[in-house]
Amino acid sequence: MQEQICFINGSFVPAGEASVSVFDRGLLFGDGVYEVLRIRNAVVFRPQAHYLRMQSGLDTLGIGNPWNEQEFACLCAELAQRNRVRGGHVYLQVTRGVAPRTHLVPRNLQPTLIGFAAEADLPKWKDRPSGLTAITVSDPRWARCNIKTTMLLPNSLAKQRAADAGAYEAVFVSEDGLVREGASTNVFVVLDDVIYTHPDDQRILPGITRAIVLDLAQAEGLTVKQQPVQVERLQDAHEVFLTGTTTDVGPVIRIDDRPVGNGKIGPVTAALMHKYSELLADETGTD
Ligand code: PDD
């Protein structure tokens, strides 16, 4: 098998030769942002949306964007192509750069750029009629979850807790009992023919898949309310589903060992799963 080819500060190098300084702010402070994009049929899905989100994160942190939109899209495509990925993901990360360690934020550093792409099993929940399971966990994160920073320790620990419990996802719940989002997904709850999802604010990541699914739901004539749901209401939910680049639309059929609705994939989720795969196929070609 060919060694993975990584992008680092303008060069493409084999993974074994790609390294960063121990003084990189990304390593020492989690001072950087990243994007994960879906590759399907060797096509990178919606690079523009990911570019715009990265731009907004970089602006908030005061880090210059090293790429324009076209360079970003070309780099993603080149990483996919150099690694011969047909179905999987491309990852791009920008950190503030290298500086002697200090809590003060150094200005005008040269950002560190990292990228890689890898083949991955893409979600095909429609082939798995059994659906997904999730657990709820308390949300220990900061109040700027809308920035896609590399500071993912709470997400990583929560995801591991879910895996240890035999579940796919951990759903973060705020101190006052509001359902926020998953460790790597956004969460939707269907209650009495209304689809609820947390509003696009500083407590969740503005998911690219979330935005697409909101459009699809609207086009289907479904009622959507961007309002948080109290965690107790998950017990009455007819359906729950997750959205994300590595999940697509993922039907949740059990949460905390209790069935969601009748414990089967519900009609709203099934319709949106179907619409989302149609859209992916439209934009990236049929298998
Ligand atoms: N995670 N919420 C969180 C906390 C996430 O990390 C992600 C994505 C999402 C879904 O966003 P999108 O639809 O843009 O992928 C929501 C990526 C896939 C990751 O960290 O691997």
Side-chain angles (χ1 to χ4, degrees):
M1 221 178 85
Q2 171 206 329
E3 192 179 358
Q4 212 176 355
I5 300 296
C6 298
F7 174 84
I8 182 150
N9 296 330
S11 309
F12 292 93
V13 293
E17 292 166 32
S19 57
V20 292
S21 162
V22 293
F23 295 112
D24 194 274
R25 297 264 313 176
L27 187 59
L28 298 179
F29 291 100
D31 187 358
V33 297
Y34 75 103
E35 284 296 326
V36 179
L37 297 86
R38 175 90 131 83
I39 304 167
R40 188 174 173 280
N41 284 331
V43 177
V44 179
F45 182 60
R46 300 264 174 131
Q48 186 199 30
H50 288 273
Y51 177 79
L52 293 175
R53 183 169 63 186
M54 179 174 257
Q55 176 75 65
S56 141
L58 289 170
D59 286 347
T60 310
L61 298 182
I63 301 174
N65 193 336
W67 302 297
N68 65 32
E69 195 178 309
Q70 203 195 353
E71 288 165 342
F72 179 92
C74 287
L75 176 56
C76 292
E78 185 163 358
L79 275 166
Q81 185 245 322
R82 282 184 184 254
N83 287 285
R84 300 197 191 112
V85 178
R86 287 201 59 79
H89 309 114
V90 56
Y91 178 98
L92 287 185
Q93 178 180 312
V94 178
T95 78
R96 193 178 302 277
V98 177
R101 184 179 181 278
T102 165
H103 283 73
L104 297 173
V105 178
R107 306 231 179 266
N108 304 319
L109 295 182
Q110 183 74 32
T112 302
L113 319 180
I114 292 170
F116 46 86
E119 201 74 35
D121 278 342
L122 295 174
K124 284 198 173 153
W125 312 121
K126 60 180 187 297
D127 302 337
R128 290 185 221 174
S130 52
L132 305 173
T133 58
I135 58 167
T136 54
V137 295
S138 59
D139 191 351
R141 300 173 303 159
W142 70 337
R144 302 306 303 275
C145 296
N146 55 319
I147 312 170
K148 199 164 173 60
T149 77
T150 56
M151 225 167 47
L152 286 177
L153 190 56
N155 306 56
S156 171
L157 294 177
K159 199 86 178 180
Q160 187 58 49
R161 252 180 83 183
D164 291 345
Y168 175 77
E169 184 58 301
V171 172
F172 287 123
V173 176
S174 71
E175 265 178 25
D176 43 356
L178 303 176
V179 174
R180 299 280 199 215
E181 63 177 337
S184 64
T185 57
N186 293 111
V187 178
F188 290 72
V189 180
V190 183
L191 273 155
D192 297 325
D193 294 331
V194 178
I195 306 175
Y196 293 89
T197 194
H198 197 282
D200 179 359
D201 63 16
Q202 300 195 337
R203 295 297 181 169
I204 65 158
L205 184 77
I208 307 299
T209 324
R210 173 187 181 279
I212 296 172
V213 166
L214 285 174
D215 285 347
L216 292 174
Q218 211 155 32
E220 286 299 286
L222 301 165
T223 309
V224 181
K225 291 192 179 164
Q226 295 192 46
Q227 288 171 14
V229 165
Q230 283 285 339
V231 66
E232 307 84 58
R233 295 200 73 200
L234 290 177
Q235 292 181 35
D236 316 321
H238 298 107
E239 303 180 35
V240 173
F241 59 90
L242 309 173
T243 62
T245 297
T246 48
T247 301
D248 288 358
V249 178
V252 179
I253 49 128
R254 283 186 89 77
I255 299 182
D256 292 335
D257 265 335
R258 272 193 299 265
V260 174
N262 64 5
K264 299 206 170 76
I265 301 174
V268 172
T269 308
L272 290 169
M273 285 164 74
H274 178 68
K275 287 285 162 199
Y276 188 76
S277 24
E278 269 185 357
L279 181 123
L280 262 179
D282 276 355
E283 295 191 20
T284 60
T286 40
D287 289 312

